Amino acid sequence: MAKVILKYEAAVLKEIPLQKATMTIGRTPGNDLVIDNLAVSGLHARLVLEEDHFLVEDMNSLNGTFLNGQRIRKSQLSDGDEILIGKHTLIFRGEGAIPKADSTMDRTQPIKQMDATVVLDTKKRREFLAKATSIATEGVSQSVQEKIGTLTVLDGKTDQNEYILTGKLCVIGKSDMATVKLKGWFAPKVAAIINRHEGKYTISPSDKAGAAKINAQTLTAPHDLHEGDTIEVSGIKMQFFFRE
């Protein structure tokens, strides 16, 4: 049966089988999945069964709902997708039986009034809100054959010599969420962020000005990556190219 796995950072909190045509997610007790955190709205999002697939839909939440690093309104789910709600992550597993759509299952309990939702002010969320500005349109976009980008380390030392950018979001920095992990006392937690969308890669600067360079020029605004582009940060030089 399809299910979601609720995580907080690296810790798995619970697994929830999707036995209903609609599962509401929020902070108040009337929801099917309650996440008790002030960054989560009373009714934050919901998972909805349409025919043979599930959709995730944001319910006008204050801090937004993110799918694989992209802020969305409504989007189809695939196995392994990661939904970010507040500080918690839901991993969607689509294997197994799908429940039958039944309108009687869609009725939710009234949502009680609780303390006001607070704007999430962690550095991680500010980066997501600042960089993940691509809003998914209503419905589902057609699948696109995407090229896979790669970063090869030309100079300096990191934890790998090559990084295959298969995710929707790649962070370069010293933070725990970084894909390209930098070392050193003065290395920034987030030097730059690379977003992937429909085969295109865009690198954006962090809040720390001058933390990264693209083709020897200081990265001050989002830049579409092209074959052969070089990225420099904290003594590390990397080159971007597409894998065959």
Side-chain angles (χ1 to χ4, degrees):
M1 176 172 287
K3 64 182 178 181
V4 288
I5 302 169
L6 178 64
K7 296 180 63 178
Y8 180 78
E9 296 181 346
V12 175
L13 302 182
K14 64 171 72 173
E15 294 186 5
I16 307 100
L18 298 177
Q19 300 174 318
K20 301 170 59 178
T22 298
M23 185 182 81
T24 58
I25 306 166
R27 183 159 48 92
T28 50
N31 290 286
D32 299 305
L33 174 57
V34 177
I35 301 178
D36 188 12
N37 186 282
L38 289 177
V40 178
S41 296
L43 177 58
H44 195 105
R46 66 175 184 169
L47 304 183
V48 182
L49 176 64
E50 285 193 3
E51 297 181 353
D52 61 348
H53 59 265
F54 277 95
L55 305 175
V56 58
E57 181 179 7
D58 182 74
M59 304 302 290
N60 297 317
S61 63
L62 180 61
N63 287 307
T65 301
F66 293 79
L67 178 63
N68 299 323
Q70 301 292 319
R71 190 170 185 173
I72 59 96
R73 291 193 186 98
K74 185 177 183 181
S75 186
Q76 182 174 334
L77 289 171
S78 299
D79 185 54
D81 280 349
E82 296 189 1
I83 306 165
L84 186 65
I85 293 178
K87 298 180 181 180
H88 290 70
T89 301
L90 287 171
I91 300 175
F92 176 74
R93 293 298 182 191
E95 73 276 5
I98 298 293
K100 294 181 179 179
D102 185 348
S103 60
T104 62
M105 291 183 174
D106 296 341
R107 298 171 187 169
T108 57
Q109 300 176 16
I111 304 299
K112 298 179 181 179
Q113 293 295 322
M114 298 185 71
D115 294 337
T117 305
V118 299
V119 177
L120 190 58
D121 195 33
T122 63
K123 183 175 178 62
K124 179 179 177 180
R125 173 58 88 187
R126 289 201 306 271
E127 290 158 1
F128 271 118
L129 292 174
K131 312 304 178 186
T133 56
S134 177
I135 309 297
T137 57
E138 297 296 328
V140 181
S141 61
Q142 297 180 350
S143 59
V144 178
Q145 186 67 36
E146 296 186 10
K147 296 180 180 179
I148 301 300
T150 302
L151 292 176
T152 298
V153 178
L154 303 178
D155 193 17
K157 293 183 178 180
T158 60
D159 59 332
Q160 299 180 41
N161 294 324
E162 185 177 82
Y163 300 89
I164 302 174
L165 308 178
T166 56
K168 299 293 185 182
L169 188 74
C170 169
V171 174
I172 303 174
K174 195 168 60 174
S175 74
D176 294 337
M177 65 181 290
T179 303
V180 181
K181 294 188 180 297
L182 302 178
K183 300 179 180 179
W185 182 262
F186 296 105
K189 287 189 175 182
V190 177
I193 297 174
I194 298 176
N195 285 285
R196 176 170 70 95
H197 181 63
E198 295 186 351
K200 296 182 180 180
Y201 290 79
T202 302
I203 184 169
S204 301
S206 70
D207 295 335
K208 183 178 180 180
K213 291 184 178 181
I214 182 75
N215 299 327
Q217 301 295 319
T218 300
L219 182 65
T220 58
H223 174 88
D224 290 338
L225 286 170
H226 301 285
E227 192 91 12
D229 281 351
T230 58
I231 302 169
E232 297 176 70
V233 55
S234 296
I236 307 297
K237 186 175 183 179
M238 297 172 287
Q239 188 171 38
F240 176 84
F241 66 95
F242 288 104
R243 296 179 68 87
E244 296 296 335

